[in-house]
Amino acid sequence: MPVRPDEENGAPRWVKISVIVAVAVVVVFLVVLIVGSGQHGPGRHTPGGPSEPAPDTAGSHTGPPPGVGHGDE
Amino acid sequence: MTLLMSPRLRKAALTAHVTSSVGWLGAVAAFLALAVVGLTSTDAETVRAVYLVAEPLTWFLILPLAFGSLVTGLVQSLGTTWGLFRHYWVIFKLGINLFAATVLLLYTQTVSLLARVAAESNADLRELQGPTFVLHSAAALLLLVTATFLAVYKPRGMTRYGRRKQRELGRVGR
C-alpha cells in the first residue's frame, strides 16, 4: 500500500480523533466510577447492594458449565 | 520476521476470523435482546429465565467466540503482510478486541452471580432487574461494530514501524 505524503509526518487525522475520543470516554468512566464511590463489579448487582456478600449457592447452583471454573469461587 | 501463510491457509484463517468475529457480534446482539427483555418484562418467570439463560450463553458462546476472534486475528495479522503493528487500523482493532475480551472475562463473574441469584426460589426478581446487562452488552456491541467497520474499510495510516518495514521489503524486492 503506497504511503501518502500526509502520512509521512505522523498519524493520520482519524487516528488522532479516535485517540482523543477514547481518552475522553475513559476519563468520563473514571469520573463516574469515582462519583459512584467505586461501586462497580459483581457485588453491585446483587439484591441489597455492594456490601452484601454473594449468596450461598449450595443446592441451587445452576452453573458454571462442567469443567469451567468461576473466577469468584 | 514474518512467516507468511500460503494463499489456501490464509483463506482458511480469514474464514475462521470472520466467522468468530461476526459470531461474537451476533451473540452479543442476542444477549442485548435478552437483556432488554429481562429489564422491561413484568413477568417474574420471564425475568428469571433471562438471567438463567444468560450464563450458558456467555460461557458457551460469547466467551469462546471472543477468544476465537482474538486468536484468529493474531494469526491473521502475523501470518500476512498486514502485520500486527504496521497499520493503525490493525492496532485499533487489536486494542478493541483485547479490551472487550478482558472486560467480558471479568464480567462472567457478574453473569454467574446473577444466574445464581435468579435460581434462588425466594429471590426478589424485581431487585435483580438492573440495567447492567443492557449497558454492558450495548457497549460491547458498539465496540464490535467499530471493529467490524475497521476490518471492512481498513482506513489508511501506517505506523513508523510499518513504513520502515515497507521500505525494507521494497529494497528486498528489487
Side-chain angles (χ1 to χ4, degrees), chain B residues 73-119:
Chain B
L74 287 172
V75 170
Q76 188 65 22
S77 53
L78 292 173
T80 65
T81 52
W82 285 107
L84 200 53
F85 301 109
R86 296 181 192 182
H87 298 266
Y88 284 108
W89 74 266
V90 177
I91 295 174
F92 269 70
K93 199 161 168 287
L94 175 67
I96 288 172
N97 206 324
L98 274 175
F99 176 75
T102 304
V103 173
L104 170 64
L105 199 59
L106 296 172
Y107 197 63
T108 54
Q109 293 183 31
T110 300
V111 173
S112 293
L113 188 61
L114 290 178
R116 288 202 293 273
V117 173

Side-chain angles (χ1 to χ4, degrees), chain B residues 1 5 7-8 10 21 29 35 60 67 72 76 80 99 140 144 147-148 152-153 156 159 168 170:
Chain B
M1 186 183 150
M5 293 185 284
R8 186 177 288 185
R10 195 170 65 234
S21 300
F60 288 143
F67 284 91
T72 56
Q76 188 65 22
T80 65
F99 176 75
L144 296 177
T148 307
V152 172
Y153 284 89
R156 280 179 174 276
T159 61
E168 286 173 11

Side-chain angles (χ1 to χ4, degrees), chain B residues 13-172:
Chain B
L14 180 62
T15 304
H17 183 57
V18 171
T19 304
S20 53
S21 300
V22 177
W24 183 12
L25 195 151
V28 169
F31 191 101
L32 177 59
L34 274 177
V36 170
V37 171
L39 183 64
T40 56
S41 176
T42 53
D43 178 50
E45 287 310 304
T46 303
V47 175
R48 187 192 300 277
V50 165
Y51 283 90
L52 287 175
V53 85
E55 190 182 36
L57 177 62
T58 304
W59 282 102
F60 288 143
L61 206 58
I62 299 177
L63 205 60
L65 286 169
F67 284 91
S69 170
L70 188 60
V71 171
T72 56
L74 287 172
V75 170
Q76 188 65 22
S77 53
L78 292 173
T80 65
T81 52
W82 285 107
L84 200 53
F85 301 109
R86 296 181 192 182
H87 298 266
Y88 284 108
W89 74 266
V90 177
I91 295 174
F92 269 70
K93 199 161 168 287
L94 175 67
I96 288 172
N97 206 324
L98 274 175
F99 176 75
T102 304
V103 173
L104 170 64
L105 199 59
L106 296 172
Y107 197 63
T108 54
Q109 293 183 31
T110 300
V111 173
S112 293
L113 188 61
L114 290 178
R116 288 202 293 273
V117 173
E120 299 276 338
S121 57
N122 58 346
D124 186 352
L125 297 176
R126 281 169 303 180
E127 286 192 54
L128 205 61
Q129 276 184 301
T132 177
F133 276 8
V134 172
L135 290 176
H136 283 85
S137 54
L141 202 59
L142 187 66
L143 283 176
L144 296 177
V145 167
T146 305
T148 307
F149 177 89
L150 287 171
V152 172
Y153 284 89
K154 297 179 177 56
R156 280 179 174 276
M158 287 186 93
T159 61
R160 193 173 294 177
Y161 167 75
R163 291 196 293 270
R164 198 178 72 227
K165 292 296 279 185
Q166 193 181 44
R167 279 195 294 272
E168 286 173 11
L169 286 172
R171 277 200 293 272
V172 171

